[in-house]
Amino acid sequence: MKAPLWEAVKAYTKRKIFSWHTPGHKGGAGAAAEFRTRLGRGVFQADLTELPELDNLYYPEGPIREAQERAAAFFGAGRTFFLVNGATSGIASVILATCRPGDKVLVPRYAHRSVWSGLILSGSRPVYLKGCWLSTLGLPLGVTPGEVEEALALHKGVKLLVLVHPTYEGLVPPTGRLVKLAHRYKVQVLVDAAHGSHFGLDDRLPPSPLKLGADYVVHGTHKTLGAFTQAAMLHLRAGLDGDGVAEALRLLQTSSPSYLLLASLDMARYVAELKGYKLWAKAVDRALKLRQRLRELGLPCLEEGDVVGEAAAGLDVTRLVIPTGPLGLSGEEAAAALRRLGHEMELARTRYVVAILTPGDDERSTGSFLRALRTLRKEGAGRGSKPLEELPAGESLPPLAMTPREAFFARHRSVPVREAQGKIAAELVAPCPPGYVVVAPGEVLTPEIVDRLTLIRGKDSLIRVVDV
């Protein structure tokens, strides 16, 4: 079978068996008529439960197992797990499976908030990496081998290094060098590649972290490869025993997985394997053409030449980071204006917006996008760039008084931000989409952090702190 799980679902829906089991909509018959009409009856018919012919995600032995094995073979993994609770569940599961209370984990401050879920669940202790930032746009670049090696030498017994490949803005660190460095210290590497499941499908894209030797790689397959939202994959390099990860996933994933999500993962892999190289070559061509047109419009995207130093080793050209200063607008204002013109951005920050281009885009969408930006450029002529209040990345790391788990389970109380200085944070403050962790559970609220929280939440806002 080319897509074994999808083929099994499709075959089952053709049997027209009376359902005396969940889900209660019974193939759409019990669903609201408007809902059923809008989505189509086929969606409800494929929304199935764990039936003998469809396998079981917790203990796969049939089409789910075969679909995962095909995904592992295509992506170059030793073992692959399908995720129905997003890349979030994969990241947290790896930390839970590999770390015990008190174990040390190297974590960049710009990592996804799911990392802190894993830290809380496992009881492990974070060792934070500041990383480097691009000051002109206020975005994270990556971590350097020097910073990682210094942390590995200083903190004996580190169990795991967490890397982000790519960042939300499409930048990748020198992952190959960092993996080799970690392995030299007998440390395993977990790579959050949620936004990079398409890497390796064209030579002009960054390499897959699996090819660079990473031990665990999480793909947000829905982000760029066409699976349904929430569908993701966790890949383990060849030679690793994945039984601990499988057990952790059984703790964190639902026991009633959506077969719509599972089948979409199978089909996303199948399409990528069948014609992914051709599709992504066209997408990269289209992205490079769009980048050229944006330069001509006076809105040059972030390019690899704009990023120098050891923290960043390249970028994803299909991830368009567009500075909005030339429009005389903040990123948030530009995103709102583009929305009115029919274009929804992936991300808006103070000085830029981010747009994602995939094989699902064509000349119609890119042409309309250019016309919208041309309209904003014309409206902004003479307006000039205005000073923008920037959220700083933080000059120093705050003291860690407790592990995230200890802070999570301690008694809490809420206090006004203006009165929080010196207290221990009991919550994670990390603006999402992911940017930079302002404060994590267990950290002391320094004057610098209080100032940043005031900027983000307002001077009359509250924050949860440990009640000691």
Side-chain angles (χ1 to χ4, degrees):
M1 294 182 185
K2 297 175 181 177
L5 182 55
W6 167 240
E7 295 293 339
V9 169
K10 190 167 57 173
Y12 189 87
T13 60
K14 290 179 179 179
R15 295 180 60 184
K16 301 188 183 303
I17 299 176
F18 284 105
S19 166
W20 295 97
H21 54 75
T22 60
H25 60 65
K26 300 296 181 90
E34 180 184 353
F35 195 42
R36 182 177 61 243
T37 300
R38 182 67 176 175
L39 295 184
R41 188 129 196 172
V43 171
F44 293 92
Q45 291 172 340
D47 183 29
L48 297 163
T49 190
E50 299 93 331
L51 299 165
E53 298 91 334
L54 301 183
D55 210 356
N56 185 301
L57 182 61
Y58 276 13
Y59 300 97
E61 296 180 344
I64 292 178
R65 178 174 178 173
E66 186 179 351
Q68 291 183 153
E69 288 173 348
R70 285 176 176 263
F74 175 69
F75 288 106
R79 187 172 180 181
T80 290
F81 296 91
F82 282 2
L83 308 175
V84 292
N85 288 56
T88 291
S89 63
I91 291 170
S93 294
V94 170
I95 298 173
L96 180 58
T98 58
C99 299
R100 297 293 177 265
D103 285 347
K104 296 175 183 177
V105 181
L106 297 187
V107 182
R109 292 292 286 191
Y110 55 85
H112 187 266
R113 60 190 303 121
S114 58
V115 171
W116 280 267
S117 298
L119 294 173
I120 290 170
L121 290 167
S122 67
S124 50
R125 177 175 291 272
V127 175
Y128 292 118
L129 304 170
K130 284 191 63 176
C132 297
W133 285 67
L134 184 64
S135 59
T136 54
L137 291 178
L139 57 81
L141 296 174
V143 293
T144 67
E147 182 182 13
V148 171
E149 183 160 26
E150 181 180 355
L152 288 169
L154 182 63
H155 299 275
K156 304 300 182 183
V158 170
K159 284 295 182 69
L160 193 67
L161 166 64
V162 177
L163 298 176
V164 183
H165 178 116
T167 64
Y168 217 97
E169 292 82 5
L171 294 160
V172 297
T175 300
R177 292 176 61 191
L178 295 171
V179 168
K180 290 179 181 177
L181 177 60
H183 287 172
R184 195 163 74 235
Y185 280 82
K186 310 300 183 185
V187 173
Q188 292 188 316
V189 181
L190 163 62
V191 177
D192 175 0
H195 287 270
S197 56
H198 58 299
F199 285 4
L201 293 178
D202 188 88
D203 291 339
R204 294 165 292 179
L205 295 170
S208 164
L210 281 166
K211 300 290 186 183
L212 300 174
D215 300 288
Y216 307 93
V217 175
V218 178
H219 280 164
T221 319
H222 68 95
K223 296 182 186 297
T224 56
L225 285 189
F228 284 161
T229 295
Q230 200 174 311
M233 296 186 192
L234 167 59
H235 307 286
L236 278 59
R237 70 164 172 81
L240 284 183
D241 179 3
D243 290 347
V245 171
E247 184 62 31
L249 284 169
R250 286 191 283 270
L251 286 174
L252 298 183
Q253 293 215 102
T254 176
S255 60
S256 300
S258 164
Y259 276 80
L260 292 170
L261 299 184
L262 292 172
S264 77
L265 286 170
D266 195 22
M267 284 302 292
R269 184 276 312 163
Y270 172 63
V271 171
E273 186 170 351
L274 182 68
K275 51 185 177 180
Y277 296 97
K278 181 179 179 180
L279 289 173
W280 279 96
K282 289 183 177 179
V284 171
D285 287 342
R286 186 167 286 120
L288 294 175
K289 181 180 178 181
L290 181 55
R291 283 171 169 268
Q292 177 60 34
R293 298 288 295 277
L294 288 169
R295 279 194 295 272
E296 294 168 356
L297 190 59
L299 295 171
C301 296
L302 182 69
E303 300 284 356
E304 191 166 345
D306 300 323
V307 182
V308 295
E310 289 197 319
L315 54 76
D316 178 2
V317 295
T318 65
R319 185 71 50 127
L320 308 173
V321 180
I322 307 172
T324 57
L327 299 174
L329 300 170
S330 70
E332 293 88 349
E333 291 168 340
L338 285 165
R339 184 180 300 115
R340 290 192 294 270
L341 294 172
H343 294 271
E344 195 74 64
M345 295 295 95
E346 168 66 17
L347 172 67
R349 298 301 291 266
T350 305
R351 299 181 182 276
Y352 59 90
V353 294
V354 175
I356 300 175
L357 190 148
T358 76
D361 290 293
D362 55 19
E363 291 298 325
R364 180 172 172 269
S365 63
T366 56
S368 178
F369 186 44
L370 278 168
R371 287 192 293 275
L373 287 169
R374 190 174 292 114
T375 297
L376 295 186
R377 189 78 166 98
K378 188 175 181 180
E379 290 175 354
R383 184 161 49 200
S385 299
K386 61 181 180 180
L388 298 172
E389 189 172 32
E390 189 75 57
L391 177 64
E395 293 301 318
S396 58
L397 295 175
L400 186 67
M402 297 178 169
T403 66
R405 180 182 177 89
E406 290 168 341
F408 181 85
F409 284 107
R411 289 178 55 187
H412 302 163
R413 62 189 176 96
S414 294
V415 300
V417 166
R418 62 179 179 275
E419 299 175 10
Q421 182 176 324
K423 295 179 171 56
I424 300 170
E427 65 174 292
L428 176 71
V429 181
C432 201
Y436 186 85
V437 171
V438 178
V439 67
E443 292 182 335
V444 177
L445 290 153
T446 63
E448 181 185 13
I449 291 176
V450 170
D451 289 343
R452 297 177 73 218
L453 289 171
T454 301
L455 182 61
I456 296 170
R457 293 184 166 184
K459 58 184 177 65
D460 296 323
S461 61
L462 300 175
I463 184 168
R464 220 162 50 247
V465 299
V466 173
D467 189 8
V468 292

